[in-house]
Amino acid sequence: MKNCILKLSDKQLLELKEKVPVSNCFFVEIDGEQVNSKEMFFEIMSDKFKLPSAGSGWDSFIDWMNDLSWISEECICLVINKYSEFLKDDLVTKVIFEEVFQEDILPFWDKEVLKTVVDGKIRPFNLYLVS
């Protein structure tokens, strides 16, 4: 399965939670209403993913999200609830957020990790945007 960004309804999210193997999946949920700036996004992601330092720039954030060596679970799910409210006053950052996951983070875990990390292993990593 290719890592991807999926848009879900609340009902579909409940169905997903029933199917996700909890013991083997690192599952992060973020309330989109709480994220109104790039700085807040980096702060919440640093906390949820236990990033040593996401800083306040995309390059640093991508580097840490393409490491995640401290997360032992094989699969990673990131859920943004109330996505319509997520970064609603900073649409430029919202577009960059989606691009970073689509072009850098998800493809890395889909196959690039095999080329760039010694003994690297692919990981299912999906981003769920819930309306």
Side-chain angles (χ1 to χ4, degrees):
M1 180 178 162
K2 185 173 169 63
N3 296 342
C4 59
I5 298 173
L6 298 166
K7 295 186 178 182
L8 303 177
S9 67
D10 288 331
K11 181 181 177 188
Q12 290 170 314
L13 177 61
L14 290 174
E15 292 169 1
L16 172 71
K17 286 180 178 180
E18 291 175 3
K19 294 178 185 176
V20 170
V22 176
S23 63
N24 206 21
C25 192
F26 187 76
F27 197 90
V28 171
E29 276 191 85
I30 294 174
D31 181 350
E33 286 183 317
Q34 294 181 351
V35 184
N36 51 26
S37 69
K38 178 173 75 170
E39 294 75 23
M40 180 61 67
F41 170 72
F42 288 138
E43 184 179 317
I44 289 172
M45 289 295 287
S46 290
D47 178 56
K48 298 281 189 178
F49 278 87
K50 308 294 185 232
L51 303 179
S53 169
S56 60
W58 290 109
D59 289 339
S60 175
F61 175 73
I62 292 167
D63 286 346
W64 286 117
M65 291 300 290
N66 287 349
D67 181 345
L68 301 179
S69 56
W70 53 93
I71 295 175
S72 61
E73 291 86 352
E74 288 182 25
C75 127
I76 300 170
C77 294
L78 171 59
V79 176
I80 310 285
N81 288 304
K82 300 176 193 148
Y83 190 66
S84 61
E85 298 297 312
F86 176 79
L87 294 167
K88 74 176 184 178
D89 296 327
D90 188 354
L91 297 180
V92 170
T93 296
K94 191 170 187 171
V95 168
I96 293 170
F97 158 78
E98 285 191 34
E99 288 174 354
V100 160
F101 272 87
Q102 189 70 45
E103 297 172 12
D104 297 302
I105 297 169
L106 300 180
F108 177 83
W109 291 109
D110 197 37
K111 63 182 175 184
E112 292 169 22
V113 66
L114 297 172
K115 299 175 190 172
T116 59
V117 176
V118 174
D119 296 327
K121 292 175 24 179
I122 60 171
R123 283 175 132 166
F125 189 145
N126 290 301
L127 171 60
Y128 300 98
L129 310 176
V130 183
S131 51

